[in-house]
Amino acid sequence: MDSRLTLEKRIEAELKSYDGTMCMYADDFHGNVISLGVDEKFETASTIKTYILACLFDEAEKGKRDLDRILTVRPEHAVEGSGVLWALEPGASMRVRDLAALMIIVSDNIATNVLIDYLGLEKINDCIKRLGCHDTVLHNPIHFDRYEKLGTTTVRDYASMFVRLAKGELIGREADRQMIEIFKKQHYNSMIVKDFPPVYMDSDNTDDILIEVASKSGSMDACRNDGGIVYTPYGPYVLVMFHKEFSDAMYYPAHPATVFGARVSRMFLDQFLALEGRFVL
């Protein structure tokens, strides 16, 4: 029996008192993967937008879609929830690349529906499978009053997207670089970075350790999800955490899923920094 206080044991102990189910996948790019429930199916919520973005850039890379094409928001794209386009009248027009940025940075639901319409739901699902994510499906556009399910995925599939992005092996080096820059501007970093020391996140106040995160989160009544690439002076690592089966469906900063996810994320950060770029010696 291994008597050492491993990172896995610390995470297991932390989750003993958690009212819910958390699955996770972490990769330090040095052959160390720490995972839990990698094949468990989860509602994607807005994490499905990561897959849509990848499929958009894949189609653009092949010359089948144009990132500078102008698309128009139509009444059938309208939906409540996150984003800013709901505040505009239907008829607003903008470039595909700008809709993609809104879809990720402020998780804009209307921008997402415009892009699903532009790409085609079947084409998106074909692309997702082609990218190797065989447990991920986009079921419907975002219309909460019409459909119960948006998407299904696993932490293994979601982590694989960011692992390949970090390596420049998802779509192509330039396309991957552009997507990472979009993910770095993402506003909803409520779980991964919640417990990070603020000084690590502010380039104006540190000459030592500066942390950047390229991520995409997602929340619905049934889930709280987050995942992405954490960039440190010792290199990057990927962390994905999905939550479900908790008793409290309300949205608030101190939700148990967010609190426990943040604690686990801080454990990974501390271990990675202490071991100068690894989860395990």
Side-chain angles (χ1 to χ4, degrees), residues 49 82-84 101-109 186-188:
K49 296 167 185 176
S82 57
V84 296
L102 287 174
M103 176 176 70
I104 299 299
I105 293 171
V106 294
S107 204
D108 197 290
N109 288 338
Q186 202 260 135
H187 285 189
Y188 300 109

Side-chain angles (χ1 to χ4, degrees), residues 66-250:
D66 182 0
L67 296 178
D68 290 312
R69 179 173 172 177
I70 303 296
L71 298 181
T72 299
V73 178
R74 300 196 301 270
E76 58 265 34
H77 298 138
V79 62
E80 295 180 351
S82 57
V84 296
L85 290 181
W86 61 266
L88 306 181
E89 294 291 331
S93 296
M94 62 185 66
R95 297 180 304 171
V96 169
R97 67 173 71 249
D98 297 325
L99 289 162
L102 287 174
M103 176 176 70
I104 299 299
I105 293 171
V106 294
S107 204
D108 197 290
N109 288 338
I110 294 177
T112 304
N113 281 345
V114 175
L115 292 175
I116 292 173
D117 193 23
Y118 180 51
L119 292 168
L121 191 144
E122 185 176 348
K123 176 70 73 174
I124 292 169
N125 282 319
D126 287 345
C127 176
I128 290 171
K129 296 297 182 287
R130 194 169 62 252
L131 291 174
C133 299
H134 299 291
D135 292 315
T136 300
V137 179
L138 170 63
H139 298 292
N140 300 291
I142 305 176
H143 288 293
F144 303 114
D145 56 340
R146 297 184 213 170
Y147 309 117
E148 290 185 4
K149 294 202 297 185
L150 174 56
T152 303
T153 193
T154 64
V155 293
R156 187 200 301 275
D157 273 4
Y158 201 54
S160 76
M161 299 289 283
F162 286 104
V163 168
R164 284 175 286 166
L165 263 180
K167 294 178 178 179
E169 298 174 355
L170 185 60
I171 306 301
R173 286 205 170 271
E174 178 56 23
D176 290 358
R177 185 196 66 77
Q178 290 182 42
M179 285 189 284
I180 286 171
E181 289 307 309
I182 294 172
F183 285 120
K184 283 182 178 180
K185 298 182 177 85
Q186 202 260 135
H187 285 189
Y188 300 109
N189 289 320
S190 58
M191 190 184 302
I192 287 182
V193 305
K194 179 178 171 60
D195 283 357
F196 283 10
V199 68
Y200 288 0
M201 310 298 294
D202 187 349
S203 59
D204 293 331
N205 288 309
T206 182
D207 297 320
D208 243 351
I209 296 177
L210 178 62
I211 307 295
E212 285 189 292
V213 177
S215 66
K216 181 71 189 83
S217 60
S219 297
M220 290 174 65
D221 289 349
C223 66
R224 300 288 188 277
N225 304 331
D226 205 355
I229 310 163
V230 180
Y231 292 93
T232 82
Y234 300 113
Y237 64 88
V238 164
L239 175 61
V240 169
M241 299 175 290
F242 283 7
H243 300 255
K244 65 180 180 179
E245 297 170 350
F246 41 74
S247 58
D248 189 351
M250 290 184 65

